[in-house]
Amino acid sequence: MNVNLWNINILGVGFMLVFSAFTAASFMESIVFKDYNKHGITIETGFHSLAVIYGVLGVSNWFAPAIVNKLGSKWSLILSVIPNIGFIFSMYDPYQWSVFLCSAFLGMGGGVLWTANGEVIARNSPGDTKPRNTGIFWSWFNMSALVGNTFLYFQLGNAETI
């Protein structure tokens, strides 16, 4: 396996792991918040949180190329994964303000994450290998739904409460 193909596979596995956690957390968000009823949290908090993530992500995409250009793709990828951790931890003892703040940070990090991802794929795809490498990356990335939901099934499959 050449270095470029190795880099694409490492990128794909990394995205699969990060998005396995994010996908599982975002699928469970409204269910977890449904009966919480403390600190301003309601069932709508989960839906609003996702709206904040994707709204901020849309805006951050305008600024992400400049950030990736300044930091480089390696540091952009590393730093833009950190908001995912904060988002997941914001659900352990959630306050409405902390969930929305972590959602906004996640949206900002998401624009940088996807821009840096594109740069890594482009840089590691010489000649006519872009379609193949993009397909390999997307195969790994889309496995995150399977991995995250399988994890939830085995962790929470027989749970009566969450």
Side-chain angles (χ1 to χ4, degrees), residues 50-65 104 106-112 114:
L50 293 173
V52 169
I53 291 170
Y54 292 109
V56 173
L57 175 68
V59 173
S60 74
N61 282 322
W62 289 95
F63 306 104
L106 180 57
M108 287 188 289
V112 175
W114 285 104

Side-chain angles (χ1 to χ4, degrees), residues 3-160:
V3 171
N4 291 334
L5 190 54
W6 176 257
N7 289 341
I8 296 298
N9 278 293
I10 293 297
L11 181 70
V13 169
F15 267 66
M16 180 195 64
L17 294 173
V18 168
F19 280 91
S20 291
F22 169 73
T23 302
S26 63
F27 285 167
M28 293 298 299
E29 195 172 17
S30 292
I31 295 168
V32 169
F33 292 159
K34 181 178 74 168
D35 296 322
Y36 193 73
N37 294 327
K38 288 194 267 183
H39 312 301
I41 299 291
T42 65
I43 190 171
E44 289 87 14
T45 303
F47 301 117
H48 295 156
S49 167
L50 293 173
V52 169
I53 291 170
Y54 292 109
V56 173
L57 175 68
V59 173
S60 74
N61 282 322
W62 289 95
F63 306 104
I67 294 169
V68 172
N69 190 40
K70 180 80 172 162
L71 296 176
S73 57
K74 175 184 170 183
W75 283 106
S76 296
L77 286 169
I78 291 169
L79 294 175
S80 62
V81 168
I82 294 171
N84 283 283
I85 299 165
F87 173 73
I88 291 168
F89 281 119
S90 74
M91 292 185 217
Y92 282 106
D93 187 22
Y95 287 77
Q96 190 175 43
W97 67 267
S98 67
V99 171
F100 290 153
L101 183 65
C102 289
S103 297
F105 283 136
L106 180 57
M108 287 188 289
V112 175
L113 182 72
W114 285 104
T115 302
N117 164 59
E119 182 181 322
V120 170
I121 290 175
R123 195 175 55 239
N124 285 282
S125 300
D128 61 349
T129 62
K130 281 186 179 70
R132 180 200 66 186
N133 290 349
T134 302
I136 291 169
F137 168 79
W138 278 102
S139 296
W140 281 114
F141 169 71
N142 285 316
M143 281 185 54
S144 65
L146 177 67
V147 172
N149 287 321
T150 302
F151 173 79
L152 285 177
Y153 174 77
F154 285 110
Q155 286 298 113
L156 304 173
N158 294 325
E160 293 183 24

